[in-house]
Amino acid sequence: MSGLSREVLKWLQSLDLTWQIKNPKWDLSNGYLIAEIFSWYFPQEIQMHSFYNRDSLDLKQRNWYILKNFILKNQLDLKMADVDGTIHCREGAAAQLTEKLYEILTNRKVKKVPPEMPIDYTDSAYQMQLPMHARSTASKAVKNNLRLTEVLADQNLITCAQKSQKIINDHIDHRRQERVEDPDRFGIKPTLGDRCVRRPEPPQKLQSEQSHLTNTTDVPSELQWKLLWCLTPTDC
């Protein structure tokens, strides 16, 4: 039950579910246990005979179709990204969904340390912990972050191509960041522009510009005094 806080674990154990949740990523994927959790709080709306405890994609979609309609009907503050990530066994999505359910159903807050990296349901956080020679290639990144169930659930070629391209673009950005952080490893030599010494602007130039501005502001006042002195009837 990694990824879940202690208070959430105690709450799940108190519900007396059909089986113990050992790995939320796989145990919550078909939606059966999520429906069982809802049935404890909404017994009139969620009835367990409408759900299938199977792992096939077709039955998964039937279970989650009922759950999504229930979530929208009761206006529960659950993100569809968490739901879709749980369906397709994305990293961290099931734990995030379970903690959100705990906060909504018990009206309590989960006490946990905020993550160092933003949650994007990819293996980027895991890849950053590995040494550079052991990190994924572009093809491996697509394989790790694009599930087969996502392709089967939405067989639109354009949508699948966009998802794959986004994963590849993120992988390229991470590689560029690695080159910036450790240029010696990749044999990157500084360019001529990087070698140039950039000196700060001398303070004397700033002072001369300020004095010039004060002199220009004083000129109109001197001209006005001379004109007034010339226009007096005694002197002109």
Side-chain angles (χ1 to χ4, degrees):
M1 299 179 70
S2 59
L4 297 176
S5 61
R6 182 181 179 86
E7 49 194 331
V8 177
L9 294 178
K10 293 173 64 177
W11 171 64
L12 291 174
Q13 291 174 357
S14 66
L15 296 178
D16 193 19
L17 301 176
T18 304
W19 69 86
Q20 183 181 3
I21 300 177
K22 296 181 180 179
N23 191 339
K25 176 181 176 180
W26 305 109
D27 295 337
L28 302 177
S29 176
N30 61 2
Y32 186 84
L33 289 181
I34 299 293
E36 193 170 357
I37 292 172
F38 277 130
S39 66
W40 279 92
Y41 293 90
F42 304 93
Q44 301 299 326
E45 299 185 47
I46 298 295
Q47 299 178 359
M48 295 308 299
H49 62 78
S50 302
F51 296 88
Y52 300 91
N53 186 14
R54 296 290 183 271
D55 293 328
S56 66
L57 180 61
D58 185 31
L59 297 180
K60 272 187 185 182
Q61 291 178 327
R62 292 184 186 182
N63 290 346
W64 282 105
Y65 177 78
I66 300 173
L67 291 174
K68 285 181 178 180
N69 289 337
F70 169 77
I71 292 170
L72 295 175
K73 178 182 177 182
N74 292 273
Q75 297 180 351
L76 300 179
D77 188 17
L78 292 175
K79 297 179 181 178
M80 286 297 119
D82 297 342
V83 174
D84 293 336
T86 304
I87 296 173
H88 303 301
C89 302
R90 286 186 168 272
E91 293 292 338
Q96 187 75 10
L97 179 64
T98 307
E99 291 178 354
K100 195 64 180 177
L101 281 176
Y102 170 80
E103 292 180 351
I104 293 173
L105 299 176
T106 63
N107 199 19
R108 300 174 185 172
K109 288 291 184 180
V110 178
K111 299 178 182 179
K112 62 178 182 179
V113 179
E116 297 179 358
M117 299 181 62
I119 301 174
D120 55 358
Y121 303 140
T122 63
D123 65 340
S124 59
Y126 170 72
Q127 293 294 328
M128 295 301 292
Q129 297 175 359
L130 298 175
M132 290 188 180
H133 67 274
R135 295 179 184 177
S136 299
T137 59
S139 59
K140 184 65 174 178
V142 173
K143 181 180 179 181
N144 291 342
N145 298 301
L146 184 62
R147 304 292 180 182
L148 178 61
T149 53
E150 294 184 66
V151 180
L152 295 177
D154 187 1
Q155 298 185 5
N156 190 338
L157 296 179
I158 297 177
T159 304
C160 295
Q162 290 175 350
K163 291 180 180 179
S164 302
Q165 189 61 44
K166 183 180 182 305
I167 295 171
I168 294 173
N169 292 339
D170 293 342
H171 176 77
I172 294 173
D173 292 339
H174 292 158
R175 287 296 187 184
R176 287 175 179 169
Q177 186 64 26
E178 291 173 3
R179 289 174 177 269
V180 173
E181 293 176 354
D182 192 2
D184 295 335
R185 175 181 175 81
F186 296 95
I188 299 175
K189 298 180 180 179
T191 61
L192 183 60
D194 296 335
R195 295 178 182 178
C196 292
V197 179
R198 292 175 173 80
R199 298 178 180 177
E201 189 174 1
Q204 295 179 357
K205 185 176 180 181
L206 295 175
Q207 292 178 0
S208 62
E209 289 180 356
Q210 291 177 359
S211 62
H212 177 69
L213 290 173
T214 55
N215 293 332
T216 54
T217 53
D218 293 337
V219 171
S221 62
E222 293 179 1
L223 289 174
Q224 290 176 2
W225 282 110
K226 288 181 179 179
L227 289 173
L228 291 173
W229 180 76
C230 183
L231 291 175
T232 56
T234 58
D235 297 331
C236 294

